[in-house]
């Protein structure tokens, strides 16, 4: 039996994925800052924010959800990766993360019906739709079913689908050009990938709707589009809902099948989340709530598993890796304290520039 000390040591061991080796298994979860320039380019805030966390002893810093096209942003202050100016801004961000000693990664987002809303600290925030005449845009989705109080989306046509796939291919190529070494697709929390998968959001009767295998067709095309633009030596990850947390929605059994199909289509790891598709489903909040799905996905899904979700103490790290998952993504704890991981690991591992503090 592995004791707690051995579990903690495992957290700080390397994890290879394709030709990239992550120096440890504690990673920054992509936490949106809603602070991009009006054209979607990273700002000095991003350099300071991600640089501090990269210096904080993390094996990987995953930059927040970055849109593949203007109408696939959640807000007008989201990062994007469809223009040369954005690529240049991301390249600066990559350099800051690498200089501070972490592996730079990026989450790409395709928001679908969760698009064109306010930033969290303005008015009603993420439940407040921004109309086109006020700087918003018309959302696209599998079906014309809105999320909460947001705008009713337009049901995607085959031409829209082709365009989304082209956007994904371009964004993955741009991510490589910017220097990112790992790429994640946000396929959970009610984003477009998740919308297609779930019968709660996908009411289509054509080849993209119906049973789970049919609803999975377009999400798999999304993954193939990313993989076609992303080098074979770099890992591809998908953030996946472990379940919908609502009757009639996706079950864990459904999502294990999805994970198997993702592994067969070039995905190297799944990053587990849960809920988020519809407001009434709620969100789990106890520590390690997503990681507890890990053993099922790791065994039956056949791919390595990471998870986020209220990881905030050494005890959580010890319980999570390797007993539940292969790696953990830490979000809110690292927003509160960029050196949270170093405080857990010990003073020996702090940047040498800071050693005099001890």
């Amino acid at each position: 039996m592995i004791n707690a000390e051995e579990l903690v040591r495992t957290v700080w061991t390397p994890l290879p994925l394709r030709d990239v080796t992550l120096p440890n298994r504690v990673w920054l979860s992509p936490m949106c800052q809603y602070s991009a320039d009006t054209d979607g380019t990273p700002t000095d805030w991003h350099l300071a924010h991600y640089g501090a966390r990269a210096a904080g002893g993390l094996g990987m810093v995953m930059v927040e959800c970055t849109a593949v096209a203007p109408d696939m942003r959640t807000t007008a202050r989201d990062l994007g990766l469809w223009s040369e100016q954005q690529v240049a801004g991301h390249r600066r961000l990559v350099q800051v993360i690498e200089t501070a000693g972490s592996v730079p990664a990026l989450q790409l987002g395709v928001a679908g019906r969760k698009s064109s809303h306010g930033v969290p600290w303005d008015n009603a925030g993420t439940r407040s739709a921004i109309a086109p005449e006020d700087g918003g845009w018309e959302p696209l989705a599998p079906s014309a079913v809105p999320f909460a109080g947001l705008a009713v989306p337009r049901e995607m046509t085959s031409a829209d689908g082709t365009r989304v796939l082209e956007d994904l291919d371009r964004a993955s190529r741009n991510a490589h050009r910017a220097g990112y070494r790992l790429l994640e697709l946000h396929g959970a929390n009610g984003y477009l990938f998740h919308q297609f998968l779930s019968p709660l959001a996908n009411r289509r009767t054509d080849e993209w709707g119906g049973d789970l295998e049919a609803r999975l067709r377009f999400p798999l095309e999304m993954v193939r589009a990313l993989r076609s633009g992303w080098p074979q030596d770099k890992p591809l990850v998908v953030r996946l809902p472990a379940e919908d947390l609502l009757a009639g929605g996706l079950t864990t059994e459904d999502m294990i099948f999805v994970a198997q199909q993702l592994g067969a289509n070039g995905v190297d790891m799944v990053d587990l989340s849960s809920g988020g598709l519809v407001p009434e489903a709620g969100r789990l909040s106890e520590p390690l709530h997503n990681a507890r799905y890990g053993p099922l996905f790791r065994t039956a899904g056949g791919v390595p598993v990471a998870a986020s979700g209220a990881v905030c103490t050494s005890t959580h790290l010890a319980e999570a890796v390797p007993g539940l998952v292969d790696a953990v993504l830490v979000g809110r704890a690292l927003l509160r304290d960029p050196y949270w991981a170093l405080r857990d690991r010990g003073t020996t591992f702090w940047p040498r520039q800071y050693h005099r503090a001890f």
Side-chain angles (χ1 to χ4, degrees):
M1 180 177 292
I2 301 175
N3 61 33
E5 183 179 358
E6 179 65 26
L7 286 171
V8 172
R9 284 202 297 270
T10 303
V11 168
W12 301 112
T13 60
L15 177 65
L17 292 172
R18 298 211 180 210
D19 287 358
V20 175
T21 297
L22 292 308
N24 64 59
R25 288 120 183 283
V26 182
W27 306 339
L28 177 66
S29 188
M31 301 290 285
C32 288
Q33 300 297 294
Y34 305 107
S35 299
D37 281 348
T38 54
D39 60 4
T41 301
T43 62
D44 288 348
W45 173 263
H46 294 98
L47 298 177
H49 170 72
Y50 288 110
R53 280 140 190 91
L58 303 173
M60 180 175 73
V61 166
M62 188 175 289
V63 172
E64 67 202 71
C65 192
T66 296
V68 302
D71 63 343
M72 288 300 166
R73 297 171 293 170
T74 58
T75 80
R77 299 303 301 276
D78 288 12
L79 291 177
L81 198 50
W82 61 82
S83 75
E84 288 302 311
Q85 182 171 332
Q86 292 165 350
V87 172
H90 279 276
R91 190 173 291 122
R92 288 182 65 214
L93 195 49
V94 164
Q95 290 167 352
V96 165
I97 293 169
E98 288 185 327
T99 298
S102 190
V103 173
L106 179 70
Q107 184 186 72
L108 288 178
V110 190
R113 70 178 191 168
K114 292 187 89 170
S115 187
S116 192
H117 60 68
V119 296
W121 48 82
D122 286 347
N123 300 317
T126 56
R127 301 291 171 85
S128 176
I130 306 298
E133 59 267 26
D134 296 323
W137 50 90
E138 181 184 46
L140 292 176
S143 301
V145 180
F147 176 86
L150 300 185
V152 176
R154 177 168 63 82
E155 181 172 297
M156 287 174 57
T157 65
S158 59
D160 292 324
T162 298
R163 194 268 290 179
V164 168
L165 298 179
E166 291 171 350
D167 291 339
L168 285 161
D169 177 89
R170 178 187 61 215
S172 65
R173 294 176 192 277
N174 285 343
H176 172 60
R177 292 171 55 220
Y180 288 107
R181 298 180 62 201
L182 180 146
L183 190 64
E184 176 174 277
L185 174 65
H186 196 342
N189 303 121
Y191 275 61
L192 188 72
F193 185 102
H194 189 179
Q195 293 163 32
F196 266 97
L197 285 179
S198 179
L200 299 176
N202 184 346
R203 312 282 178 80
R204 301 179 75 101
T205 57
D206 61 4
E207 69 274 13
W208 287 346
D211 63 15
L212 179 59
E213 289 194 39
R215 299 195 308 272
L216 181 56
R217 285 192 183 113
F218 189 72
L220 286 181
E221 289 186 55
M222 294 173 71
V223 166
R224 294 183 194 114
L226 281 176
R227 190 77 263 184
S228 70
W230 188 240
Q232 290 299 310
D233 60 345
K234 291 184 176 183
L236 178 63
V237 178
V238 174
R239 175 161 283 193
L240 204 63
E243 60 172 306
D244 271 344
L245 300 175
L246 196 67
L250 294 164
T251 66
T252 301
E253 182 180 47
D254 292 334
M255 298 316 301
I256 288 172
F257 172 76
V258 171
Q260 293 169 341
Q261 300 307 305
L262 294 178
N265 282 272
V267 171
D268 302 291
M269 171 178 266
V270 295
D271 167 15
L272 296 178
S273 184
S274 53
L277 181 78
V278 291
E280 54 268 33
R283 301 284 286 274
L284 298 174
S285 59
E286 72 274 11
L288 301 178
H289 54 266
N290 294 320
R292 298 195 193 286
Y293 294 100
L296 288 172
F297 280 82
R298 195 157 53 180
T299 301
V303 290
V305 176
S308 59
V311 177
C312 52
T313 70
S314 298
T315 303
H316 297 155
L317 292 180
E319 185 178 351
V321 181
L324 300 175
V325 291
D326 299 286
V328 290
L329 292 104
V330 182
R332 287 169 175 80
L334 284 166
L335 291 184
R336 294 188 291 267
D337 178 5
Y339 304 111
W340 175 86
L342 288 175
R343 295 183 203 285
D344 177 80
R345 196 173 186 188
T347 58
T348 303
F349 298 95
W350 284 65
R352 60 188 178 186
Q353 294 91 335
Y354 296 166
H355 281 186
R356 76 189 74 172
F358 304 100

